């Protein structure tokens, strides 16, 4: 752009944008948006998506202008990189959305198959047996914390013990359960 007559100095504009100079941002937008829009249209292949992306790119430019280092690369190259990366991110996001929709078209039954059900029943039995080896209050606290979602504080209040005591109960109980399950 420096070769164009009366072209604004993008280095200076980016420096001023980094200082939140709105007039410099307007000038930068006017100077760079046509070229960035062309890049976005070429990558996204959709005018309305490119228009939205252009606005988002300039939001990023406003937010990241202080990250531009004038000695490391040309200002237009920096702007192109932001636009290109944003366009690629947009395409990836759309692809993930389409992939997610495709995954859900062939949903299988959420019920476990007979083998999975047998393994789960066996694991449940092992866990129940190991829980029975704990003191009843501590086994109940473990189930309440890790299966029912009660907080340490709620359990400490329920059993009328200090919070750190409840943490110790749960930590030691989990260690005992892990040892029991590893031995079984």
């Amino acid at each position: 752009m420096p070769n164009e007559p009366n072209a604004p100095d993008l280095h200076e504009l980016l420096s001023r944008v980094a200082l939140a100079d709105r007039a410099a941002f307007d000038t930068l937008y006017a100077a760079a948006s046509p070229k960035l829009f062309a890049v976005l249209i070429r990558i996204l292949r959709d005018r309305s998506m490119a228009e939205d992306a252009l606005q988002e790119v300039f939001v990023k430019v406003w937010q990241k202008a202080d990250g531009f280092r004038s000695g490391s690369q040309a200002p237009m190259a920096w702007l192109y990189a932001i636009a290109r990366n944003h366009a690629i991110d947009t395409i990836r996001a759309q692809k993930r959305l389409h992939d997610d929709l495709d995954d859900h078209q062939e949903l299988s039954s959420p019920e476990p198959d007979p083998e999975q059900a047998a393994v789960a029943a066996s694991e449940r039995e092992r866990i129940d047996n190991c829980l029975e080896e704990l003191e009843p209050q501590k086994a109940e606290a473990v189930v309440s914390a890790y299966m029912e979602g009660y907080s340490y504080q709620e359990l400490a209040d329920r059993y009328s013990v200090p919070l750190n005591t409840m943490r110790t109960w749960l930590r030691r109980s989990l260690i005992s359960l892990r040892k029991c399950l590893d031995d079984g």
Side-chain angles (χ1 to χ4, degrees):
M1 278 188 72
N3 296 339
E4 298 174 22
N6 301 326
D9 180 1
L10 296 182
H11 286 283
E12 179 186 338
L13 288 175
L14 282 170
S15 297
R16 290 176 36 207
V17 169
L19 299 172
D21 181 334
R22 291 189 184 274
F25 183 75
D26 291 343
T27 304
L28 178 67
Y29 185 89
S33 64
K35 292 182 180 184
L36 296 181
F37 185 67
V39 167
L40 292 167
I41 269 196
R42 192 168 47 248
I43 295 171
L44 296 173
R45 298 178 185 189
D46 180 279
R47 184 174 188 82
S48 67
M49 282 178 59
E51 289 169 351
D52 291 342
L54 183 65
Q55 299 310 311
E56 292 169 16
V57 164
F58 273 96
V59 168
K60 288 180 181 181
V61 168
W62 177 261
Q63 294 169 341
K64 296 180 178 186
D66 62 340
F68 173 70
R69 302 288 176 252
S70 61
S72 64
Q73 71 184 129
M76 206 60 212
W78 186 75
L79 293 169
Y80 281 141
I82 292 173
R84 180 183 168 278
N85 291 341
H86 182 77
I88 291 169
D89 289 344
T90 300
I91 291 169
R92 286 180 182 151
Q94 280 200 320
K95 182 174 177 359
R96 278 192 297 272
L97 176 64
H98 291 299
D99 288 348
D100 288 347
L101 291 175
D102 291 343
D103 290 344
H104 295 295
Q105 287 179 0
E106 297 177 16
L107 287 178
S108 60
S109 170
E111 299 298 317
D113 63 32
E115 181 182 4
Q116 292 170 327
V119 169
S122 172
E123 287 299 308
R124 257 191 314 275
E125 184 178 339
R126 286 183 60 217
I127 292 170
D128 288 342
N129 290 339
C130 289
L131 280 170
E132 288 175 8
E133 292 183 14
L134 298 175
E135 294 174 33
Q137 273 189 323
K138 292 179 181 176
E140 187 179 303
V142 167
V143 170
S144 295
Y146 299 105
M147 299 300 290
E148 297 169 3
Y150 285 91
S151 71
Y152 291 175
Q153 186 62 58
E154 290 170 324
L155 292 171
D157 293 344
R158 181 193 299 176
Y159 293 102
S160 302
V161 297
L163 178 61
N164 285 337
T165 300
M166 180 52 63
R167 286 185 176 135
T168 301
W169 277 17
L170 293 172
R171 186 179 73 249
R172 288 181 180 166
S173 296
L174 288 177
I175 291 169
S176 296
L177 284 173
R178 183 179 302 129
K179 184 175 179 350
C180 176
L181 290 169
D182 287 345
D183 291 345

